[in-house]
Amino acid sequence: MRRPVAVAGAAAALLVALTGCSLGTADAVPGAVRVPTGPAVTPLPIPEVEPSGSAAAVTDPFRRAADGTALPVLERTPGAVFADVTQADLCGPRYSAGVRGERASDAEEAAAAYGVEDSSPYTTDHLVPISLGGSNEVSNLWPQPKEGAFAAAAKDTLEAHLRGLVCQGAVPLETARQALVQDWRAAYDTYTARPLATPSPTAAPTGGDGGVVSGGVCATDGEVVRSPEKQVRLTCRPDAEGVLRWQRRA
């Protein structure tokens, strides 16, 4: 009755001979290149929040603010930042332009985590925005509704305003990040009410109609106008130093 064991042993020996390696030993594959690691990414700790007691929470894919605004579920989207990015980096010229956008597969994975099959009513949002050092990790992405009083556009306004406050030294970077993670809707009310410092209008470019020109100082974050001379669409946004200026972007 030992014949099957002997046959199995012979087969194993033949396999070792043919492969030229011993069992339990794996030589490096010639030509294999180790994939280089990117910048260090730090997942943010999940803050404690009050659980929702409503029956709708069973099927609702989102956490909800006091007024019903959609918030990401922190167990799925706790946020993640580049650990080596400083305030000085963020407030330098064109920092955000140097950070590669998220991969389509990561956006799809983030949507799937929320049970979203039709992505058309949503936009892939960075919970901690790139402009505040947020990374493109799936743990920092969530499908945010596009429509509603406090949807994607409102969060974009908050992010730009927060960056201005951070760059002016009015709000610590970590405080701004945690406010977005905890409840960005509450953060909107708290921080957009805090005005950004503006220099004297004489220190900025002026146009033919009260300084409504690209680069001119403006007063209301998010306001959109058209320049009187060239009819160019300008938006009032904080610049790299956190100063509100007319800029040619939405």
mmCIF file of all heavy atoms in Angstrom, residues 92-137:
data_model
loop_
_atom_site.group_PDB
_atom_site.id
_atom_site.type_symbol
_atom_site.label_atom_id
_atom_site.label_comp_id
_atom_site.label_asym_id
_atom_site.label_seq_id
_atom_site.Cartn_x
_atom_site.Cartn_y
_atom_site.Cartn_z
ATOM 1 N N GLY A 92 2.553 77.499 -2.479
ATOM 2 C CA GLY A 92 3.414 77.895 -3.579
ATOM 3 C C GLY A 92 2.627 77.964 -4.882
ATOM 4 O O GLY A 92 1.503 77.465 -4.965
ATOM 5 N N PRO A 93 3.178 78.587 -5.886
ATOM 6 C CA PRO A 93 2.466 78.715 -7.159
ATOM 7 C C PRO A 93 2.256 77.378 -7.845
ATOM 8 O O PRO A 93 3.167 76.559 -7.939
ATOM 9 C CB PRO A 93 3.386 79.628 -7.981
ATOM 10 C CG PRO A 93 4.748 79.436 -7.392
ATOM 11 C CD PRO A 93 4.512 79.203 -5.936
ATOM 12 N N ARG A 94 1.027 77.110 -8.251
ATOM 13 C CA ARG A 94 0.666 75.967 -9.081
ATOM 14 C C ARG A 94 0.972 74.615 -8.425
ATOM 15 O O ARG A 94 1.314 73.654 -9.092
ATOM 16 C CB ARG A 94 1.358 76.057 -10.443
ATOM 17 C CG ARG A 94 0.983 77.285 -11.248
ATOM 18 C CD ARG A 94 1.593 77.264 -12.635
ATOM 19 N NE ARG A 94 1.123 76.131 -13.412
ATOM 20 C CZ ARG A 94 -0.054 76.063 -14.014
ATOM 21 N NH1 ARG A 94 -0.911 77.059 -13.913
ATOM 22 N NH2 ARG A 94 -0.397 74.998 -14.736
ATOM 23 N N TYR A 95 0.830 74.532 -7.103
ATOM 24 C CA TYR A 95 1.043 73.229 -6.456
ATOM 25 C C TYR A 95 0.065 72.187 -6.981
ATOM 26 O O TYR A 95 0.452 71.087 -7.370
ATOM 27 C CB TYR A 95 0.908 73.343 -4.935
ATOM 28 C CG TYR A 95 0.762 71.987 -4.270
ATOM 29 C CD1 TYR A 95 1.876 71.184 -4.040
ATOM 30 C CD2 TYR A 95 -0.495 71.480 -3.917
ATOM 31 C CE1 TYR A 95 1.744 69.920 -3.477
ATOM 32 C CE2 TYR A 95 -0.626 70.216 -3.349
ATOM 33 C CZ TYR A 95 0.492 69.446 -3.130
ATOM 34 O OH TYR A 95 0.351 68.197 -2.584
ATOM 35 N N SER A 96 -1.224 72.526 -6.986
ATOM 36 C CA SER A 96 -2.251 71.556 -7.386
ATOM 37 C C SER A 96 -2.037 71.049 -8.806
ATOM 38 O O SER A 96 -2.328 69.893 -9.115
ATOM 39 C CB SER A 96 -3.647 72.173 -7.255
ATOM 40 O OG SER A 96 -3.921 72.480 -5.899
ATOM 41 N N ALA A 97 -1.532 71.922 -9.684
ATOM 42 C CA ALA A 97 -1.320 71.522 -11.072
ATOM 43 C C ALA A 97 -0.248 70.448 -11.201
ATOM 44 O O ALA A 97 -0.198 69.725 -12.191
ATOM 45 C CB ALA A 97 -0.950 72.739 -11.914
ATOM 46 N N GLY A 98 0.606 70.325 -10.188
ATOM 47 C CA GLY A 98 1.679 69.339 -10.252
ATOM 48 C C GLY A 98 1.314 67.986 -9.696
ATOM 49 O O GLY A 98 2.130 67.065 -9.716
ATOM 50 N N VAL A 99 0.079 67.837 -9.173
ATOM 51 C CA VAL A 99 -0.362 66.557 -8.607
ATOM 52 C C VAL A 99 -1.247 65.854 -9.623
ATOM 53 O O VAL A 99 -2.259 66.389 -10.057
ATOM 54 C CB VAL A 99 -1.135 66.767 -7.291
ATOM 55 C CG1 VAL A 99 -1.590 65.420 -6.728
ATOM 56 C CG2 VAL A 99 -0.268 67.495 -6.278
ATOM 57 N N ARG A 100 -0.846 64.666 -10.010
ATOM 58 C CA ARG A 100 -1.603 63.897 -11.001
ATOM 59 C C ARG A 100 -2.989 63.551 -10.473
ATOM 60 O O ARG A 100 -3.167 63.283 -9.290
ATOM 61 C CB ARG A 100 -0.841 62.616 -11.344
ATOM 62 C CG ARG A 100 -1.491 61.786 -12.441
ATOM 63 C CD ARG A 100 -0.707 60.504 -12.662
ATOM 64 N NE ARG A 100 0.690 60.770 -12.974
ATOM 65 C CZ ARG A 100 1.615 59.825 -13.075
ATOM 66 N NH1 ARG A 100 1.291 58.560 -12.880
ATOM 67 N NH2 ARG A 100 2.856 60.135 -13.357
ATOM 68 N N GLY A 101 -3.987 63.573 -11.346
ATOM 69 C CA GLY A 101 -5.349 63.260 -10.952
ATOM 70 C C GLY A 101 -5.543 61.789 -10.652
ATOM 71 O O GLY A 101 -4.682 60.948 -10.919
ATOM 72 N N GLU A 102 -6.696 61.486 -10.073
ATOM 73 C CA GLU A 102 -6.981 60.096 -9.713
ATOM 74 C C GLU A 102 -7.161 59.229 -10.950
ATOM 75 O O GLU A 102 -7.524 59.724 -12.019
ATOM 76 C CB GLU A 102 -8.247 60.023 -8.852
ATOM 77 C CG GLU A 102 -9.559 60.244 -9.590
ATOM 78 C CD GLU A 102 -9.876 61.695 -9.838
ATOM 79 O OE1 GLU A 102 -9.084 62.557 -9.412
ATOM 80 O OE2 GLU A 102 -10.915 61.975 -10.462
ATOM 81 N N ARG A 103 -6.909 57.943 -10.828
ATOM 82 C CA ARG A 103 -7.114 57.008 -11.928
ATOM 83 C C ARG A 103 -8.600 56.691 -12.058
ATOM 84 O O ARG A 103 -9.337 56.685 -11.079
ATOM 85 C CB ARG A 103 -6.327 55.723 -11.688
ATOM 86 C CG ARG A 103 -4.814 55.907 -11.626
ATOM 87 C CD ARG A 103 -4.119 54.577 -11.416
ATOM 88 N NE ARG A 103 -4.559 53.922 -10.178
ATOM 89 C CZ ARG A 103 -4.131 52.735 -9.768
ATOM 90 N NH1 ARG A 103 -3.263 52.065 -10.511
ATOM 91 N NH2 ARG A 103 -4.570 52.216 -8.645
ATOM 92 N N ALA A 104 -9.016 56.411 -13.289
ATOM 93 C CA ALA A 104 -10.423 56.089 -13.528
ATOM 94 C C ALA A 104 -10.841 54.861 -12.735
ATOM 95 O O ALA A 104 -11.949 54.791 -12.207
ATOM 96 C CB ALA A 104 -10.660 55.873 -15.014
ATOM 97 N N SER A 105 -9.949 53.886 -12.630
ATOM 98 C CA SER A 105 -10.279 52.663 -11.896
ATOM 99 C C SER A 105 -10.499 52.952 -10.411
ATOM 100 O O SER A 105 -11.342 52.323 -9.758
ATOM 101 C CB SER A 105 -9.168 51.625 -12.069
ATOM 102 O OG SER A 105 -7.925 52.128 -11.599
ATOM 103 N N ASP A 106 -9.749 53.918 -9.865
ATOM 104 C CA ASP A 106 -9.931 54.270 -8.457
ATOM 105 C C ASP A 106 -11.255 54.997 -8.252
ATOM 106 O O ASP A 106 -11.936 54.790 -7.242
ATOM 107 C CB ASP A 106 -8.774 55.154 -7.979
ATOM 108 C CG ASP A 106 -7.464 54.387 -7.880
ATOM 109 O OD1 ASP A 106 -7.521 53.150 -7.761
ATOM 110 O OD2 ASP A 106 -6.396 55.011 -7.932
ATOM 111 N N ALA A 107 -11.621 55.845 -9.195
ATOM 112 C CA ALA A 107 -12.907 56.535 -9.112
ATOM 113 C C ALA A 107 -14.051 55.534 -9.169
ATOM 114 O O ALA A 107 -15.043 55.653 -8.441
ATOM 115 C CB ALA A 107 -13.025 57.552 -10.244
ATOM 116 N N GLU A 108 -13.912 54.529 -10.022
ATOM 117 C CA GLU A 108 -14.937 53.496 -10.129
ATOM 118 C C GLU A 108 -15.022 52.667 -8.847
ATOM 119 O O GLU A 108 -16.113 52.311 -8.399
ATOM 120 C CB GLU A 108 -14.631 52.589 -11.328
ATOM 121 C CG GLU A 108 -14.775 53.286 -12.672
ATOM 122 C CD GLU A 108 -14.243 52.451 -13.823
ATOM 123 O OE1 GLU A 108 -13.723 51.337 -13.549
ATOM 124 O OE2 GLU A 108 -14.330 52.899 -14.976
ATOM 125 N N GLU A 109 -13.874 52.371 -8.263
ATOM 126 C CA GLU A 109 -13.861 51.604 -7.015
ATOM 127 C C GLU A 109 -14.524 52.391 -5.889
ATOM 128 O O GLU A 109 -15.271 51.828 -5.070
ATOM 129 C CB GLU A 109 -12.421 51.257 -6.632
ATOM 130 C CG GLU A 109 -12.300 50.409 -5.376
ATOM 131 C CD GLU A 109 -10.871 50.028 -5.042
ATOM 132 O OE1 GLU A 109 -10.012 50.108 -5.943
ATOM 133 O OE2 GLU A 109 -10.621 49.656 -3.878
ATOM 134 N N ALA A 110 -14.253 53.701 -5.850
ATOM 135 C CA ALA A 110 -14.867 54.541 -4.818
ATOM 136 C C ALA A 110 -16.382 54.585 -4.983
ATOM 137 O O ALA A 110 -17.128 54.516 -4.003
ATOM 138 C CB ALA A 110 -14.285 55.949 -4.887
ATOM 139 N N ALA A 111 -16.850 54.681 -6.230
ATOM 140 C CA ALA A 111 -18.291 54.701 -6.484
ATOM 141 C C ALA A 111 -18.928 53.364 -6.107
ATOM 142 O O ALA A 111 -20.010 53.317 -5.513
ATOM 143 C CB ALA A 111 -18.558 55.027 -7.948
ATOM 144 N N ALA A 112 -18.253 52.272 -6.443
ATOM 145 C CA ALA A 112 -18.784 50.948 -6.143
ATOM 146 C C ALA A 112 -18.926 50.732 -4.641
ATOM 147 O O ALA A 112 -19.842 50.048 -4.186
ATOM 148 C CB ALA A 112 -17.883 49.877 -6.754
ATOM 149 N N ALA A 113 -18.033 51.325 -3.855
ATOM 150 C CA ALA A 113 -18.103 51.177 -2.404
ATOM 151 C C ALA A 113 -19.390 51.773 -1.841
ATOM 152 O O ALA A 113 -19.841 51.399 -0.758
ATOM 153 C CB ALA A 113 -16.891 51.835 -1.750
ATOM 154 N N TYR A 114 -19.970 52.726 -2.582
ATOM 155 C CA TYR A 114 -21.218 53.362 -2.160
ATOM 156 C C TYR A 114 -22.427 52.781 -2.897
ATOM 157 O O TYR A 114 -23.536 53.298 -2.769
ATOM 158 C CB TYR A 114 -21.142 54.867 -2.391
ATOM 159 C CG TYR A 114 -20.268 55.583 -1.384
ATOM 160 C CD1 TYR A 114 -18.888 55.556 -1.487
ATOM 161 C CD2 TYR A 114 -20.825 56.277 -0.315
ATOM 162 C CE1 TYR A 114 -18.084 56.198 -0.562
ATOM 163 C CE2 TYR A 114 -20.035 56.929 0.611
ATOM 164 C CZ TYR A 114 -18.664 56.879 0.485
ATOM 165 O OH TYR A 114 -17.869 57.518 1.424
ATOM 166 N N GLY A 115 -22.201 51.745 -3.673
ATOM 167 C CA GLY A 115 -23.297 51.139 -4.414
ATOM 168 C C GLY A 115 -23.780 51.969 -5.581
ATOM 169 O O GLY A 115 -24.904 51.783 -6.060
ATOM 170 N N VAL A 116 -22.940 52.882 -6.063
ATOM 171 C CA VAL A 116 -23.319 53.757 -7.176
ATOM 172 C C VAL A 116 -23.010 53.056 -8.495
ATOM 173 O O VAL A 116 -21.855 52.731 -8.770
ATOM 174 C CB VAL A 116 -22.564 55.102 -7.097
ATOM 175 C CG1 VAL A 116 -22.779 55.912 -8.369
ATOM 176 C CG2 VAL A 116 -23.026 55.886 -5.883
ATOM 177 N N GLU A 117 -24.029 52.815 -9.287
ATOM 178 C CA GLU A 117 -23.850 52.184 -10.595
ATOM 179 C C GLU A 117 -23.900 53.213 -11.716
ATOM 180 O O GLU A 117 -23.131 53.131 -12.669
ATOM 181 C CB GLU A 117 -24.929 51.111 -10.806
ATOM 182 C CG GLU A 117 -24.836 49.956 -9.800
ATOM 183 C CD GLU A 117 -25.903 48.911 -10.038
ATOM 184 O OE1 GLU A 117 -26.750 49.120 -10.937
ATOM 185 O OE2 GLU A 117 -25.893 47.883 -9.324
ATOM 186 N N ASP A 118 -24.796 54.176 -11.617
ATOM 187 C CA ASP A 118 -24.884 55.259 -12.597
ATOM 188 C C ASP A 118 -24.164 56.466 -12.013
ATOM 189 O O ASP A 118 -24.652 57.119 -11.088
ATOM 190 C CB ASP A 118 -26.352 55.598 -12.879
ATOM 191 C CG ASP A 118 -26.495 56.757 -13.861
ATOM 192 O OD1 ASP A 118 -25.470 57.148 -14.478
ATOM 193 O OD2 ASP A 118 -27.619 57.281 -14.001
ATOM 194 N N SER A 119 -22.984 56.759 -12.529
ATOM 195 C CA SER A 119 -22.165 57.830 -11.958
ATOM 196 C C SER A 119 -22.515 59.217 -12.493
ATOM 197 O O SER A 119 -21.944 60.206 -12.026
ATOM 198 C CB SER A 119 -20.686 57.543 -12.227
ATOM 199 O OG SER A 119 -20.439 57.481 -13.624
ATOM 200 N N SER A 120 -23.445 59.319 -13.428
ATOM 201 C CA SER A 120 -23.735 60.616 -14.054
ATOM 202 C C SER A 120 -24.216 61.687 -13.067
ATOM 203 O O SER A 120 -23.894 62.861 -13.248
ATOM 204 C CB SER A 120 -24.740 60.448 -15.194
ATOM 205 O OG SER A 120 -25.936 59.852 -14.742
ATOM 206 N N PRO A 121 -24.978 61.343 -12.002
ATOM 207 C CA PRO A 121 -25.392 62.402 -11.065
ATOM 208 C C PRO A 121 -24.315 62.763 -10.048
ATOM 209 O O PRO A 121 -24.542 63.600 -9.174
ATOM 210 C CB PRO A 121 -26.615 61.792 -10.354
ATOM 211 C CG PRO A 121 -26.960 60.553 -11.091
ATOM 212 C CD PRO A 121 -25.690 60.083 -11.693
ATOM 213 N N TYR A 122 -23.136 62.157 -10.160
ATOM 214 C CA TYR A 122 -22.102 62.344 -9.153
ATOM 215 C C TYR A 122 -20.789 62.822 -9.791
ATOM 216 O O TYR A 122 -20.557 62.662 -10.980
ATOM 217 C CB TYR A 122 -21.831 61.028 -8.407
ATOM 218 C CG TYR A 122 -23.056 60.443 -7.743
ATOM 219 C CD1 TYR A 122 -23.846 59.509 -8.422
ATOM 220 C CD2 TYR A 122 -23.428 60.815 -6.462
ATOM 221 C CE1 TYR A 122 -24.968 58.964 -7.821
ATOM 222 C CE2 TYR A 122 -24.541 60.267 -5.855
ATOM 223 C CZ TYR A 122 -25.320 59.356 -6.540
ATOM 224 O OH TYR A 122 -26.428 58.819 -5.953
ATOM 225 N N THR A 123 -19.956 63.371 -8.945
ATOM 226 C CA THR A 123 -18.590 63.691 -9.340
ATOM 227 C C THR A 123 -17.656 63.038 -8.334
ATOM 228 O O THR A 123 -17.996 62.925 -7.152
ATOM 229 C CB THR A 123 -18.354 65.215 -9.374
ATOM 230 O OG1 THR A 123 -17.022 65.483 -9.836
ATOM 231 C CG2 THR A 123 -18.528 65.854 -8.004
ATOM 232 N N THR A 124 -16.506 62.581 -8.788
ATOM 233 C CA THR A 124 -15.540 61.979 -7.873
ATOM 234 C C THR A 124 -14.842 63.086 -7.105
ATOM 235 O O THR A 124 -14.118 63.902 -7.678
ATOM 236 C CB THR A 124 -14.503 61.135 -8.637
ATOM 237 O OG1 THR A 124 -15.183 60.116 -9.375
ATOM 238 C CG2 THR A 124 -13.525 60.492 -7.674
ATOM 239 N N ASP A 125 -15.078 63.141 -5.817
ATOM 240 C CA ASP A 125 -14.549 64.221 -4.983
ATOM 241 C C ASP A 125 -13.423 63.711 -4.096
ATOM 242 O O ASP A 125 -13.465 62.570 -3.609
ATOM 243 C CB ASP A 125 -15.662 64.792 -4.106
ATOM 244 C CG ASP A 125 -15.166 65.889 -3.185
ATOM 245 O OD1 ASP A 125 -14.786 66.959 -3.699
ATOM 246 O OD2 ASP A 125 -15.141 65.677 -1.955
ATOM 247 N N HIS A 126 -12.420 64.557 -3.891
ATOM 248 C CA HIS A 126 -11.375 64.286 -2.902
ATOM 249 C C HIS A 126 -11.888 64.844 -1.570
ATOM 250 O O HIS A 126 -12.111 66.054 -1.460
ATOM 251 C CB HIS A 126 -10.069 64.982 -3.271
ATOM 252 C CG HIS A 126 -9.394 64.414 -4.478
ATOM 253 N ND1 HIS A 126 -9.881 64.601 -5.752
ATOM 254 C CD2 HIS A 126 -8.264 63.657 -4.607
ATOM 255 C CE1 HIS A 126 -9.078 63.997 -6.621
ATOM 256 N NE2 HIS A 126 -8.099 63.410 -5.944
ATOM 257 N N LEU A 127 -12.086 63.990 -0.579
ATOM 258 C CA LEU A 127 -12.570 64.476 0.710
ATOM 259 C C LEU A 127 -11.633 65.545 1.254
ATOM 260 O O LEU A 127 -12.068 66.633 1.635
ATOM 261 C CB LEU A 127 -12.697 63.310 1.695
ATOM 262 C CG LEU A 127 -13.152 63.674 3.108
ATOM 263 C CD1 LEU A 127 -14.448 64.467 3.088
ATOM 264 C CD2 LEU A 127 -13.303 62.414 3.954
ATOM 265 N N VAL A 128 -10.345 65.245 1.326
ATOM 266 C CA VAL A 128 -9.336 66.283 1.587
ATOM 267 C C VAL A 128 -8.810 66.698 0.219
ATOM 268 O O VAL A 128 -8.184 65.897 -0.470
ATOM 269 C CB VAL A 128 -8.181 65.768 2.465
ATOM 270 C CG1 VAL A 128 -7.153 66.874 2.692
ATOM 271 C CG2 VAL A 128 -8.709 65.242 3.799
ATOM 272 N N PRO A 129 -9.074 67.925 -0.220
ATOM 273 C CA PRO A 129 -8.726 68.309 -1.589
ATOM 274 C C PRO A 129 -7.223 68.312 -1.833
ATOM 275 O O PRO A 129 -6.418 68.453 -0.905
ATOM 276 C CB PRO A 129 -9.306 69.721 -1.710
ATOM 277 C CG PRO A 129 -9.324 70.245 -0.310
ATOM 278 C CD PRO A 129 -9.649 69.045 0.549
ATOM 279 N N ILE A 130 -6.870 68.147 -3.084
ATOM 280 C CA ILE A 130 -5.465 68.206 -3.463
ATOM 281 C C ILE A 130 -4.846 69.530 -3.025
ATOM 282 O O ILE A 130 -3.692 69.591 -2.618
ATOM 283 C CB ILE A 130 -5.325 68.010 -4.993
ATOM 284 C CG1 ILE A 130 -5.630 66.546 -5.349
ATOM 285 C CG2 ILE A 130 -3.925 68.388 -5.476
ATOM 286 C CD1 ILE A 130 -5.631 66.271 -6.839
ATOM 287 N N SER A 131 -5.632 70.600 -3.082
ATOM 288 C CA SER A 131 -5.124 71.923 -2.718
ATOM 289 C C SER A 131 -4.748 72.031 -1.245
ATOM 290 O O SER A 131 -4.055 72.963 -0.841
ATOM 291 C CB SER A 131 -6.160 72.997 -3.047
ATOM 292 O OG SER A 131 -7.364 72.773 -2.339
ATOM 293 N N LEU A 132 -5.189 71.064 -0.420
ATOM 294 C CA LEU A 132 -4.803 71.030 0.992
ATOM 295 C C LEU A 132 -3.975 69.775 1.310
ATOM 296 O O LEU A 132 -3.919 69.327 2.447
ATOM 297 C CB LEU A 132 -6.045 71.080 1.882
ATOM 298 C CG LEU A 132 -6.781 72.425 1.910
ATOM 299 C CD1 LEU A 132 -8.054 72.334 2.739
ATOM 300 C CD2 LEU A 132 -5.883 73.540 2.443
ATOM 301 N N GLY A 133 -3.356 69.217 0.284
ATOM 302 C CA GLY A 133 -2.457 68.083 0.483
ATOM 303 C C GLY A 133 -3.114 66.730 0.409
ATOM 304 O O GLY A 133 -2.487 65.722 0.725
ATOM 305 N N GLY A 134 -4.384 66.663 -0.006
ATOM 306 C CA GLY A 134 -5.064 65.383 -0.133
ATOM 307 C C GLY A 134 -4.442 64.533 -1.231
ATOM 308 O O GLY A 134 -3.914 65.050 -2.214
ATOM 309 N N SER A 135 -4.504 63.213 -1.056
ATOM 310 C CA SER A 135 -3.915 62.301 -2.031
ATOM 311 C C SER A 135 -4.997 61.736 -2.940
ATOM 312 O O SER A 135 -6.195 61.978 -2.751
ATOM 313 C CB SER A 135 -3.198 61.151 -1.324
ATOM 314 O OG SER A 135 -4.130 60.158 -0.911
ATOM 315 N N ASN A 136 -4.576 60.945 -3.932
ATOM 316 C CA ASN A 136 -5.498 60.303 -4.864
ATOM 317 C C ASN A 136 -5.833 58.871 -4.451
ATOM 318 O O ASN A 136 -6.374 58.108 -5.247
ATOM 319 C CB ASN A 136 -4.897 60.303 -6.277
ATOM 320 C CG ASN A 136 -4.837 61.696 -6.865
ATOM 321 O OD1 ASN A 136 -5.818 62.417 -6.867
ATOM 322 N ND2 ASN A 136 -3.667 62.080 -7.359
ATOM 323 N N GLU A 137 -5.530 58.503 -3.213
ATOM 324 C CA GLU A 137 -5.869 57.172 -2.726
ATOM 325 C C GLU A 137 -7.390 56.983 -2.740
ATOM 326 O O GLU A 137 -8.147 57.943 -2.536
ATOM 327 C CB GLU A 137 -5.347 56.978 -1.302
ATOM 328 C CG GLU A 137 -3.833 56.965 -1.188
ATOM 329 C CD GLU A 137 -3.226 55.730 -1.832
ATOM 330 O OE1 GLU A 137 -3.664 54.611 -1.529
ATOM 331 O OE2 GLU A 137 -2.314 55.904 -2.664
#
